[in-house]
Amino acid sequence: GQQVMQIPQYQHVQEGEDFTTYCNSSTTLSNIQWYKQRPGGHPVFLIQLVKSGEVKKQKRLTFQFGEAKKNSSLHITATQTTDVGTYFCAGQGGTSYGKLTFGQGTILTVHP
Amino acid sequence: EAQVTQNPRYLITVTGKKLTVTCSQNMNHEYMSWYRQDPGLGLRQIYYSMNVEVTDKGDVPEGYKVSRKEKRNFPLILESPSPNQTSLYFCASSFGAEETQYFGPGTRLLVL
């Protein structure tokens, strides 16, 4: 079945440093979504990418969808303590429409 | 207020004692889904429902049942819980399978 691998599992940065998390799918995706989960909270939608090679920005966050629609990345410029949390990618594709496969998540810690 | 609600939020039970976790949404969403979250494994989809009376298995359906008799409700049933079902459970809903998912607050389950 479809697998979505996400790396790294953990990332510790100093406030002001950049951060990137990567997702790779075993199959071509129809779309990929990114979510953020604050400690003790529930996942909250950040963005969805649909087109091959798509790049979207939200303030300090940049999201990319690979040309082959099998990989994606989230880059945060100049991290802040409010960026702390777990970032998940979630992909849809393959033969099971409606099935959503999440990556394992990257836990981001930002040291002030 | 648009929201997804889950009950109970916390539950301690014993092996074999049937339990139901309720999920309700007030956004008239067609798509609903259940996930479990375990450390290092991210979010894994248990079951999803494209609409009333339409349900399908996710990646980890064993030991779980669901029903979708009404659009707003999507209960998760554990007929005979076992300790390996100790986890954090999230319900989510969206307008469609490829749309933004809105997550409930989570239900933390401990099976002794």
Side-chain angles (χ1 to χ4, degrees):
Chain A
Q2 180 177 289
Q3 292 185 331
V4 176
M5 304 300 293
Q6 189 174 353
I7 57 169
Q9 188 173 357
Y10 302 94
Q11 186 76 57
H12 300 266
V13 299
Q14 288 292 133
E15 190 171 20
E17 292 182 338
D18 292 355
F19 158 75
T20 305
T21 174
Y22 301 91
C23 271
N24 285 288
S25 171
S26 59
T27 58
T28 301
L29 301 170
S30 59
N31 71 85
I32 193 159
Q33 300 172 14
W34 285 91
Y35 292 81
K36 177 183 178 181
Q37 183 179 25
R38 294 185 186 276
H42 60 272
V44 175
F45 175 81
L46 292 175
I47 210 159
Q48 182 184 56
L49 304 171
V50 179
K51 299 176 184 175
S52 168
E54 190 169 15
V55 177
K56 287 188 176 180
K57 293 192 177 186
Q58 288 180 350
K59 297 183 181 178
R60 295 178 293 104
L61 279 61
T62 302
F63 304 84
Q64 292 188 316
F65 201 10
E67 293 290 341
K69 300 183 75 173
K70 295 181 73 173
N71 62 288
S72 182
S73 65
L74 158 60
H75 179 82
I76 302 179
T77 303
T79 55
Q80 300 174 358
T81 55
T82 53
D83 295 325
V84 164
T86 303
Y87 292 85
F88 292 99
C89 61
Q92 286 184 307
T95 56
S96 298
Y97 182 75
K99 204 171 184 181
L100 188 63
T101 302
F102 277 77
Q104 297 89 337
T106 296
I107 301 172
L108 173 64
T109 304
V110 180
H111 300 283
Chain B
E1 180 190 352
Q3 59 182 347
V4 179
T5 56
Q6 293 179 228
N7 283 292
R9 295 289 313 280
Y10 304 91
L11 180 60
I12 301 174
T13 190
V14 295
T15 299
K17 186 176 182 182
K18 181 179 179 180
L19 67 91
T20 299
V21 183
T22 64
C23 174
S24 184
Q25 50 92 6
N26 62 0
M27 295 171 278
N28 201 33
H29 285 166
E30 291 189 348
Y31 182 90
M32 297 186 75
S33 184
W34 275 102
Y35 300 89
R36 61 176 290 174
Q37 183 174 20
D38 303 288
L41 297 177
L43 290 150
R44 293 181 291 168
Q45 195 173 40
I46 303 171
Y47 271 95
Y48 61 95
S49 170
M50 303 287 281
N51 212 327
V52 176
E53 301 291 1
V54 180
T55 63
D56 213 341
K57 296 178 181 178
D59 289 320
V60 288
E62 296 78 19
Y64 304 95
K65 284 175 58 177
V66 292
S67 68
R68 188 89 183 274
K69 292 183 170 58
E70 306 165 282
K71 199 171 188 178
R72 65 182 294 128
N73 296 321
F74 190 44
L76 179 69
I77 303 153
L78 285 70
E79 294 268 4
S80 183
S82 62
N84 64 13
Q85 292 178 298
T86 292
S87 188
L88 176 59
Y89 291 87
F90 286 103
C91 179
S93 72
S94 60
F95 283 111
E98 295 190 344
E99 305 295 324
T100 304
Q101 293 208 54
Y102 296 86
F103 282 79
T107 295
R108 193 167 289 279
L109 173 65
L110 173 61
V111 183
L112 301 173

